[in-house]
Amino acid sequence: MTHTLEELLAGWITGQRWFAGKSRAISGLAVESATPLPLRGLEETRQSDVAGSSRTTGDQVSVRHVVITVTQGDAVDRYQLLVGLRPELPQRLRHVAIGETEEGFAYDAVHDADVTGVLLAAMAGDADVGPLRFRRMPGTTIDTSLRSLVLGGEQSNTSLVFGDAYICKLFRKLIPGVNPEVEVVSALARRGSHNIARPYGWVETDVDGQNTTLAFVQEFLPTASDGWALALTSVRDLYGSPPGTPCCDAGGDFAAESHRLGMATAHLHRQMADAFPTSTIETPEVKRMVEGFRRRLESAISEVPELAAHAGVAHRAFDRLADIGRPITVQRVHGDYHLGQVMRTPSEWVVLDFEGEPGQPLRERRALDSPLRDVAGMLRSFDYAARHLLFGRPDAEALEPCAAEWAERNRAAFIAGYSAGGGRIHGDDAVVLRALELSKAAYEVVYEARNRPTWLPIPLAAFTQAAR
Ligand SMILES: Nc1ncnc2c1ncn2[C@@H]1O[C@H](COP(=O)(O)OP(=O)(O)O)[C@@H](O)[C@H]1O
Ligand SMILES: O=P(O)(O)O[C@H]1O[C@H](CO)[C@@H](O[C@H]2O[C@H](CO)[C@@H](O)[C@H](O)[C@H]2O)[C@H](O)[C@H]1O
């Protein structure tokens, strides 16, 4: 029996890791637009590029870019999909089937390397396809012959890696407006920054009358390792060393890398300050910012009541910031800075994912903020790296001082690197940093409670440490 695409999608979408509304029932799902993508051009490119290849797209395959609206109670969210249609689904695509429609078998075409090249081809040609605008970054050329694989392990977006040259991130949930990632990375690329992955192009359309980013293609860094994995290797080395070994003597000390990362962060902040407006906020605005921190804390407590026991230390830190009595410099920042967002290439630290904190409104994610917000984010991340590996270890309590020492050593190295790179941290900036760290920890408490409850002790420990 065949179904409409809407009926099929309502069942299928709840099983997708990027679908943000898993906890609520779907009361309506509608296809807002379905734009056929031009595979014929792709086929011609492929056939000339890959002579003798069996990878033909064939006339019987079609792919549509589909925007759906999903209604859940009062909330109406938009998501984008690439829906493929084939008369029959080959074995390799059965795991991504959506279901049988009158037009054929529908499937999630991001997994179909025979057709995803259309994204690169359209971008290379600066094509307008119905309401979709594919754009190539001026000054770049795009190899349209590469085949894609979906990167595993993602949550809110889907990334396709083409060959080992490009990574194309599809922003699944559509938030009207230009994605900060495209905005920031493009601006930094124009300034010749070495600390970003080179942008190649993007896809945009109008949503609610606003130019809205659908996808972004950047250089893929095939030989780079992410900061989180590197830091964990260092922590593992330390925990595997004979008891009493100081961090600096354990194999795999990370402090020199943390220092370099601090320098790279300062350079990036300088480049962002050059590329976008900067300002200062005076006492009334500082107080308003602090009120925002308090609201975040209260809302975190309502979701995770055990945080209430730690509210005192946070409020004291917020009071000190409210009374700082001097203006605070603000600029565009990364906004969700942590070790999983940075990659070490053989020559540089490269920073990814300039989207800001997921779930925050676009206006807030683009707002000018203290660059120390990013410093605070990374400091929290060192704490996470040190403590995460204590979970489930019988000797966790004995290792606790090691964890604290590793985190402190790397936090200090990062701050020293940040200053050496020209980042401003002195005098009472410690007051700003502390408040920002505890506000971030409150965000993390909610993040962990919702996503990884077993990790909740990590951000909670930030409050006990601050009380010491
Ligand atoms: N340019 C890149 N080169 C290599 N790997 C990348 C690149 N961009 C992202 N990745 C990998 O994909 C992961 C998720 O990327 P990210 O931009 O943080 O996506 P998300 O917004 O879904 O968190 C990163 O942790 C990294 O492992
Ligand atoms: O990378 P995302 O933009 O999806 O960020 C979200 O997920 C992060 C977890 O992957 C989360 O980061 C927290 O966990 C990290 C370890 O996994 C740790 O290094 C970070 O310091 C900690 O905040 C991030 O907060 C969230 O927005």
Side-chain angles (χ1 to χ4, degrees):
M1 198 177 87
T2 60
H3 295 272
T4 65
L5 188 59
E6 272 101 342
E7 284 166 350
L8 292 170
L9 289 174
W12 175 81
I13 196 173
T14 52
Q16 304 309 305
R17 58 197 313 156
W18 43 261
F19 178 55
K22 294 198 185 66
S23 57
R24 291 162 291 152
I26 296 179
S27 48
L29 188 150
V31 170
E32 191 173 81
S33 64
T35 309
L37 299 182
L39 295 186
R40 188 165 291 280
L42 171 67
E43 189 177 3
E44 280 154 17
T45 316
R46 282 267 161 78
Q47 282 173 349
S48 59
D49 285 346
V50 208
S53 159
S54 61
R55 310 175 204 150
T56 54
T57 52
D59 278 333
Q60 293 176 313
V61 185
S62 63
V63 176
R64 291 174 197 168
H65 177 270
V66 174
V67 174
I68 54 171
T69 54
V70 181
T71 307
Q72 298 182 283
D74 294 341
V76 181
D77 292 317
R78 280 192 186 87
Y79 292 88
Q80 65 166 324
L81 319 168
L82 281 192
V83 177
L85 283 165
R86 288 174 177 262
E88 273 173 44
L89 272 194
Q91 186 65 34
R92 68 182 174 87
L93 293 173
R94 297 224 170 120
H95 68 295
V96 292
I98 296 173
E100 191 176 358
T101 70
E102 281 188 347
E103 294 175 278
F105 284 95
Y107 65 99
D108 185 1
V110 297
H111 295 272
D112 187 354
D114 280 356
V115 301
T116 50
V118 68
L119 300 173
L120 294 187
M123 212 171 267
D126 273 325
D128 288 345
V129 180
L132 311 177
R133 300 184 288 275
F134 290 81
R135 294 293 176 262
R136 181 176 49 84
M137 199 61 69
T140 61
T141 49
I142 297 177
D143 176 355
T144 58
S145 70
L146 300 173
R147 299 191 37 101
S148 67
L149 271 177
V150 175
L151 202 71
E154 261 143 294
Q155 293 185 333
S156 45
N157 299 301
T158 299
S159 290
L160 303 181
V161 177
F162 285 89
D164 61 4
Y166 313 121
I167 180 165
C168 171
K169 198 197 271 195
L170 289 176
F171 301 105
R172 289 292 197 161
K173 185 169 165 177
L174 299 186
I175 313 282
V178 174
N179 191 290
E181 179 143 51
V182 177
E183 194 184 16
V184 173
V185 171
S186 309
L188 296 183
R190 282 193 291 274
R191 282 174 163 71
S193 172
H194 297 298
N195 302 113
I196 47 147
R198 185 175 187 210
Y200 279 90
W202 69 95
V203 189
E204 61 183 35
T205 193
D206 292 335
V207 175
D208 291 342
Q210 288 188 61
N211 181 13
T212 300
T213 314
L214 297 173
F216 187 37
V217 174
Q218 280 179 277
E219 162 193 17
F220 182 64
L221 307 167
T223 57
S225 306
D226 77 80
W228 176 250
L230 292 173
L232 287 193
T233 303
S234 162
V235 176
R236 258 186 222 108
D237 275 350
L238 177 64
Y239 294 172
S241 304
T245 308
C247 276
C248 52
D249 293 341
D253 183 22
F254 193 63
E257 282 305 334
S258 298
H259 190 274
R260 281 188 205 105
L261 180 58
M263 286 183 80
T265 305
H267 294 157
L268 199 77
H269 280 158
R270 164 62 32 223
Q271 291 155 7
M272 287 168 97
D274 289 344
F276 296 96
T278 61
S279 183
T280 48
I281 57 172
E282 303 291 332
T283 300
E285 276 175 276
V286 174
K287 287 190 188 293
R288 269 200 293 281
M289 178 168 93
V290 169
E291 285 319 307
F293 292 176
R294 293 194 207 278
R295 279 196 299 278
R296 170 179 271 190
L297 179 67
E298 291 313 318
S299 123
I301 290 172
S302 66
E303 211 165 319
V304 185
E306 61 187 300
L307 182 58
H310 304 287
V313 66
H315 281 302
R316 282 194 293 283
F318 298 160
D319 289 343
R320 280 196 288 276
L321 176 55
D323 295 339
I324 199 162
R326 63 158 171 90
I328 288 181
T329 305
V330 289
Q331 61 163 90
R332 286 296 289 267
V333 300
H334 182 282
D336 189 22
Y337 204 46
H338 58 79
L339 284 163
Q341 311 279 39
V342 291
M343 297 197 80
R344 184 74 165 97
T345 70
S347 53
E348 305 281 354
W349 277 104
V350 168
V351 178
L352 307 172
D353 204 5
F354 287 80
E355 284 186 82
E357 277 175 3
Q360 306 302 316
L362 205 59
R363 185 176 33 80
E364 273 177 42
R365 295 197 261 143
R366 297 182 64 222
L368 304 190
D369 206 333
S370 166
L372 295 182
R373 177 182 290 278
D374 290 341
V375 174
M378 195 55 79
L379 296 183
R380 292 285 317 118
S381 207
F382 288 122
D383 211 49
Y384 258 79
R387 278 164 214 286
H388 158 64
L389 288 179
L390 294 180
F391 287 149
R393 285 187 70 123
D395 54 353
E397 212 176 311
L399 283 175
E400 172 64 38
C402 278
E405 189 195 343
W406 187 94
E408 199 35 57
R409 178 172 170 78
N410 287 283
R411 287 162 60 98
F414 178 79
I415 289 181
Y418 188 75
S419 302
R424 183 190 178 280
I425 302 194
H426 48 76
D428 56 8
D429 279 332
V431 169
V432 186
L433 255 185
R434 191 178 176 87
L436 284 166
E437 261 204 84
L438 289 175
S439 176
K440 182 73 184 180
Y443 163 86
E444 289 168 343
V445 164
V446 174
Y447 180 86
E448 301 306 349
R450 286 183 191 169
N451 295 290
R452 309 178 288 201
T454 54
W455 292 45
L456 193 51
I458 303 181
L460 284 175
F463 295 90
T464 18
Q465 288 154 39
R468 283 190 199 125

